[in-house]
Amino acid sequence: MILRTLHTTPVNLLTVLALLAGVVCAHAQLPVRTRHVQLLSNNNANYTALRSADGQTVNWSLIQPATVGTTGSLQLSTVSGSDAQLSWLAPGAAGYILGITAGIPAWVDPASYLTGSFWTLLGNTGTNPATNFVGTTDAQPLVIRTTNTERLRVNATGELGIGTTAAAGYNLHVGGVAGTPNVRLTSLASAPVTALSPGEGVVTADNNGDLRKRSASDVLAALGIAKGIYTIGVDATSFVVSTGAFDLLPGAVINVTVRGPAAPAVHAMITAVNPGADNFTIVTSATIGIGYSIHWTVMNP
């Protein structure tokens, strides 16, 4: 066996023992000092060196564990004064991570160690919506993907886009193929159709797909249908009825009904239609006045 010091000349172990014996006999206990120690391999050519640090200004001791650790163990140090005592940290359980507890490394269960710091696949408990959320804290959008393809995006300014990036100013923007249904409200499936109540309306879409609430009269106007009531103010047998803002077209179909307080029945006939002025003239079979009204419906071609 050969022990090497800083010098490259091999020193025979028997020679070292003899020298040490002589030193002991002389009652002189001199420390053996060297910059590094070389541990030779079994080929007596290559070695592993253990050396002190350059610029070291204090003395300290590195104390190895008393026993050998198991496979996969990590070495930890406990420092007391100038002594650094090494010990073994056995391998953790499968899935555990190396964390720091009270300044000491230890294997911990990530589910308990990181509680409140991440969203788990099995759900979280004890969350506070005021501080725990899914999103961004800078001016960046939030994107959700499936099959590595973007499906939903919340713009930094709050617009939600499904299947597309929402246009500015649209709180909800749904992408899709023109003419292909892609929004379904199951609560409306097979629901009974009821008359519109005050304040209710009909949802329509323009050529851009923008939705808008319309009144029943708006929808009728879009279909080329208008209706109204002409109230009689003075006794007469001829009346000019205006359709107001409704654009009366040539060839429109007009239906009129006279309503009054009592018999006999009064019949009405349309005698003239003036599309340019958006009005028509009717003549009644008898003189009518206050208390009578003319109900009309127009359907453009």
Side-chain angles (χ1 to χ4, degrees):
M1 176 179 179
I2 296 178
L3 178 70
R4 287 188 174 179
T5 65
L6 177 62
H7 305 286
T8 58
T9 303
V11 179
N12 189 280
L13 180 60
L14 294 177
T15 303
V16 173
L17 292 176
L19 291 173
L20 291 176
V23 171
V24 172
C25 292
H27 301 287
Q29 299 183 7
L30 299 177
V32 178
R33 296 184 175 181
T34 179
R35 274 299 302 279
H36 65 220
V37 176
Q38 295 178 354
L39 304 177
L40 286 175
S41 68
N42 58 359
N43 61 11
N44 290 330
N46 302 105
Y47 62 87
T48 298
L50 179 65
R51 59 176 295 175
S52 60
D54 294 337
Q56 181 175 332
T57 58
V58 296
N59 300 324
W60 63 281
S61 300
L62 182 65
I63 306 172
Q64 291 289 343
T67 59
V68 64
T70 59
T71 301
S73 296
L74 302 178
Q75 273 199 332
L76 307 179
S77 63
T78 301
V79 177
S80 176
S82 62
D83 292 338
Q85 174 67 60
L86 298 182
S87 60
W88 295 107
L89 176 63
Y96 275 41
I97 61 174
L98 189 62
I100 303 297
T101 302
I104 304 299
W107 295 108
V108 293
D109 182 353
S112 59
Y113 184 70
L114 299 176
T115 297
S117 301
F118 70 103
W119 296 101
T120 74
L121 295 177
L122 301 178
N124 291 64
T125 59
T127 60
N128 181 355
T131 55
N132 306 128
F133 60 91
V134 175
T136 63
T137 56
D138 55 2
Q140 295 297 322
L142 172 66
V143 174
I144 294 179
R145 296 186 179 191
T146 62
T147 322
N148 202 30
T149 301
E150 181 176 320
R151 308 297 184 184
L152 183 148
R153 173 184 290 255
V154 181
N155 293 346
T157 48
E159 299 92 347
L160 171 62
I162 301 176
T164 186
T165 298
Y170 288 81
N171 291 333
L172 176 62
H173 189 166
V174 180
V177 179
T180 302
N182 67 338
V183 177
R184 173 174 293 181
L185 301 177
T186 304
S187 61
L188 299 181
S190 303
V193 178
T194 58
L196 293 178
S197 299
E200 292 184 336
V202 178
V203 177
T204 62
D206 62 14
N207 288 335
N208 293 322
D210 293 347
L211 302 182
R212 180 180 173 184
K213 179 185 176 181
R214 304 274 188 172
S215 66
S217 58
D218 289 338
V219 175
L220 291 176
L223 296 175
I225 301 173
K227 62 181 182 178
I229 300 175
Y230 180 84
T231 302
I232 307 301
V234 295
D235 293 349
T237 57
S238 179
F239 306 91
V240 177
V241 179
S242 172
T243 59
F246 180 77
D247 190 13
L248 181 62
L249 300 180
V253 176
I254 304 175
N255 295 308
V256 295
T257 302
V258 178
R259 292 187 180 182
V266 177
H267 303 285
M269 180 178 67
I270 299 172
T271 60
V273 177
N274 187 354
D278 293 329
N279 61 43
F280 57 90
T281 302
I282 69 169
V283 176
T284 59
S285 60
T287 300
I288 57 177
I290 296 175
Y292 285 83
S293 60
I294 298 171
H295 295 246
W296 57 269
T297 303
V298 175
M299 181 179 295
N300 280 331

